[in-house]
Amino acid sequence: MVTLSIIKADTGGFVGHTAVHPDMMAEARREMTRGIESGLLIDGHVASCGDDVSLIMTHTYGPDADLIHSFAWDTFQATTHIAKELGLYGAGQDLLSDAFSGNLRGMGPGYAELEFEERPSDPVICFLADKTEPGAWNLPLYKMFADPFNTAGLVIDQKMHAGFTFEVYDLYEEKRIFFDCPAELYEMLMYIGAPARYVIHSVRSKTLDETAAATSTQRLSLIAGKYVGKDDPVMIVRCQSGLPAVGEVLEPFTFAYGVAGCMRGSHHAPLMPVSSGDAHPSRFDGPPRVVALGFQLHDGKLIGPRDLFADPAFDRAREQANEAMDYFRRHGPFEPHRLPLEDLEYTTMTILTKRLASRWTPMTTELATAGTSRS
Ligand code: 13P
Ligand code: 13P
Ligand code: MG
Ligand code: MG
Ligand code: MG
Ligand code: MG
């Protein structure tokens, strides 16, 4: 069995929240090389999207492994050190705890991990997003694994016909449920259509009895109890031979659908699929970006990456994202650009509620006419 882990954190932005400084990337790569040479990792690749560093690693320790998580934690400490030396923005932003204890749960960094028996040829795609939250994967996962208008294999591949089981988390109440699809599609949509709370954690093939996809499902603000940046989630999707083909996995991103995030984590904006070179959200800290790094796994080695959105076929989605961004921006501080009050990551409402409490008076008829010049 091999485990593919993506562990990611924002340990400082260059400039503001737009990118990771090259010196931090170099440091993470040095650590990764050490991890491979020491025999801890089979292979590893360091990538970034916006201001988040992703450690893409293969190993044999399974998910939630102390050794792997502490390796990632130490690496993020090292990149934070550089961010501090250079005075980068929000150095150590996602490291919410001072000391590592066992695994990264509740500590700030996000992670998606999948353990499986490697197939003779095993194509996987690592998706990395910036300026959005884990529920951003709900719509594309639904399309990949449940929508026959997206995924032809659901109709014409015998190994996909039986469908997939979706594991959905309720992030507010820390519960989970499994939906058997297609039978329970409508039930599932009622939940996953509310992605701030309900998030697809994994997807499993009923025919192959194998997990096909896994996402990072942490909600930083729920962990920290206050805004400390968006989660900027990652996702692993395995492809082909009874799972959606690479092209079926990428197809949902031809639509620049709306997600929560962008400026101050408090706005709806379109998700823009981009090449690694364009994964630097600077306009209004957006539009939120997603990159897709394709690998062929071979004896646990990561053959790749291929920068899968570096394809003119996604130009139209990028144009659509720019158009939608203009449309949303013109709403300024109004919904639906600004998130509803309960989902705002930043708010002055608590202070205003106190300060203006005495100035709010009942809306009686008498008061409604007060101020007009009737005597
Ligand atoms: P596989 O059954 O080999 O995955 O073929 C699907 C495919 O690649 C067509 O796009
Ligand atoms: P990050 O989570 O990417 O640091 O974004 C923080 C933010 O508030 C951007 O406006
Ligand atoms: Mg940041
Ligand atoms: Mg970020
Ligand atoms: Mg963040
Ligand atoms: Mg084939």
Side-chain angles (χ1 to χ4, degrees), residues 8 10 17 49-52 93-94 129-131 230 232:
K8 50 86 39 190
D10 176 346
H17 292 283
C49 183
D51 56 1
D52 291 81
Q93 179 178 285
D94 288 354
D130 188 40
K131 303 296 178 272
K230 271 292 185 215
D232 309 326

Side-chain angles (χ1 to χ4, degrees), residues 25-40:
M25 292 299 283
E27 177 69 7
R29 290 192 176 112
R30 274 193 293 276
E31 291 294 323
M32 191 67 99
T33 304
R34 266 202 281 275
I36 296 165
E37 284 173 355
S38 74
L40 174 72

Side-chain angles (χ1 to χ4, degrees), residues 237-278:
V237 184
R238 300 174 65 209
C239 312
Q240 307 283 161
S241 307
L243 303 176
V246 167
E248 291 168 336
V249 170
L250 299 176
E251 184 67 10
F253 298 95
T254 56
F255 167 46
Y257 61 98
V259 297
C262 206
M263 177 57 69
R264 296 168 189 273
S266 300
H267 294 81
H268 284 123
L271 185 66
M272 183 187 259
V274 289
S275 66
S276 292
D278 286 332

Side-chain angles (χ1 to χ4, degrees), residues 51-73:
D51 56 1
D52 291 81
V53 180
S54 277
L55 309 175
I56 301 172
M57 301 171 284
T58 50
H59 56 90
T60 53
Y61 296 95
D64 288 307
D66 185 335
L67 282 172
I68 300 299
H69 283 210
S70 69
F71 167 78
W73 181 258

Side-chain angles (χ1 to χ4, degrees), residues 296-317:
Q296 289 287 152
L297 230 63
H298 186 61
D299 296 335
K301 293 256 182 247
L302 293 159
I303 312 300
R306 274 226 60 235
D307 197 357
L308 293 165
F309 288 141
D311 175 352
F314 291 94
D315 282 352
R316 211 118 74 189

